[in-house]
């Protein structure tokens, strides 16, 4: 196996120097040299997909927008940081992904980002399209007022000292020419110019 790889490397090196191209087609060693060179290319190309997947994983958790704010909800006071990790367009919808980290005190995620006291979700988060002066609310799984949102549930989540939670919400997509929106979150405020990918 080592001899084959060494021969393959030598064949590739010689081909790069112009030694092999001078041989006539149909020679006895041509087919073997081509197979050996192909094996060498396969051997050196194999690690690339792993690097690509690792890069994608790092990109998917990197923040594209962040904001820190003092929070007060349901009698709970604290300080939190929001990191938006993605706003991805898929057909006629966009999915917003973010994390909330408690920096100080207690952060009420239980109903702190919802539309009402008994709503334990992030349904009050919205996208604001500054180009068309339009607000996009979280998608619902039905047409009635009590339909559930297509978003994260937060019941019982009270974050303290360094605790983090990951959240998502789905919205109708802004027009294709809108490449950035503002994201409004209760307790946190507005994160501006968040890119849509």
């Amino acid at each position: 196996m080592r001899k084959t790889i060494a021969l393959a490397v030598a064949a590739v090196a010689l081909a790069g120097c112009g030694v092999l191209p001078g041989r006539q087609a149909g020679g006895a060693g041509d087919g073997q040299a081509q197979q050996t060179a192909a094996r060498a290319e396969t051997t050196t190309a194999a690690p690339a997909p792993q690097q690509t997947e690792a890069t994608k994983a790092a990109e998917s958790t990197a923040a594209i927008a962040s904001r820190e704010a003092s929070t007060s909800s349901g009698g709970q006071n604290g300080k939190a940081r929001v990191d938006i990790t993605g706003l991805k367009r898929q057909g006629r919808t966009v999915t917003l992904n973010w994390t909330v980290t408690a920096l100080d005190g207690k952060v009420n995620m239980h109903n702190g980002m919802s539309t009402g006291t008994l709503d334990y979700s992030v349904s009050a988060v919205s996208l604001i399209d500054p180009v068309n002066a339009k607000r996009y609310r979280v998608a619902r799984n039905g047409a009635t007022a009590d339909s559930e949102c297509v978003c994260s549930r937060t019941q019982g989540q009270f974050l303290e000292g360094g605790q983090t939670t990951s959240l998502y919400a789905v919205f109708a997509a802004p027009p294709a020419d809108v490449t950035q929106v503002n994201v409004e979150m209760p307790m946190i405020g507005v994160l501006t110019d968040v890119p849509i990918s």
Side-chain angles (χ1 to χ4, degrees):
M1 178 71 178
R2 288 184 182 173
K3 289 181 182 178
T4 304
I5 292 174
L7 287 173
V9 171
V12 171
L14 290 174
C17 295
V19 175
L20 288 177
R23 294 180 66 180
Q24 290 186 351
D30 283 347
Q32 186 176 5
Q34 289 173 352
Q35 289 175 353
T36 306
R39 283 190 205 124
E41 288 177 19
T42 303
T43 303
T44 56
Q50 294 173 348
Q51 293 171 352
T52 303
E53 288 177 18
T55 304
K56 284 182 184 176
E59 288 173 359
S60 68
T61 57
I64 58 174
S66 296
R67 180 176 169 86
E68 290 184 8
S70 295
T71 63
S72 180
S73 178
Q76 305 295 322
N77 296 318
K79 185 175 183 180
R81 184 183 72 242
V82 166
D83 293 312
I84 295 178
T85 56
L87 182 56
K88 184 172 182 176
R89 186 187 303 271
Q90 293 178 300
R92 294 171 47 188
T93 64
V94 290
T95 302
L96 175 69
N97 290 286
W98 74 97
T99 60
V100 177
T101 303
L103 301 176
D104 189 32
K106 190 177 272 192
V107 178
N108 173 16
M109 294 305 301
H110 179 66
N111 61 357
M113 289 192 177
S114 66
T115 56
T117 309
L118 299 177
D119 179 6
Y120 308 112
S121 71
V122 296
S123 60
V125 173
S126 60
L127 305 181
I128 301 169
D129 172 358
V131 174
N132 300 298
K134 186 170 181 181
R135 177 186 299 273
Y136 295 86
R137 303 220 181 255
V138 176
R140 300 261 173 195
N141 64 5
T144 61
D146 61 345
S147 299
E148 291 186 359
C149 74
V150 185
C151 64
S152 293
R153 300 278 164 237
T154 55
Q155 189 167 10
Q157 290 189 29
F158 296 94
L159 306 179
E160 296 185 62
Q163 291 180 325
T164 298
T165 186
S166 295
L167 305 163
Y168 78 93
V170 176
F171 303 85
D177 62 337
V178 176
T179 58
Q180 294 182 332
V181 293
N182 299 336
V183 178
E184 182 183 30
M185 295 186 177
M187 298 192 305
I188 302 297
V190 178
L191 293 89
T192 58
D193 302 324
V194 178
I196 301 173
S197 61

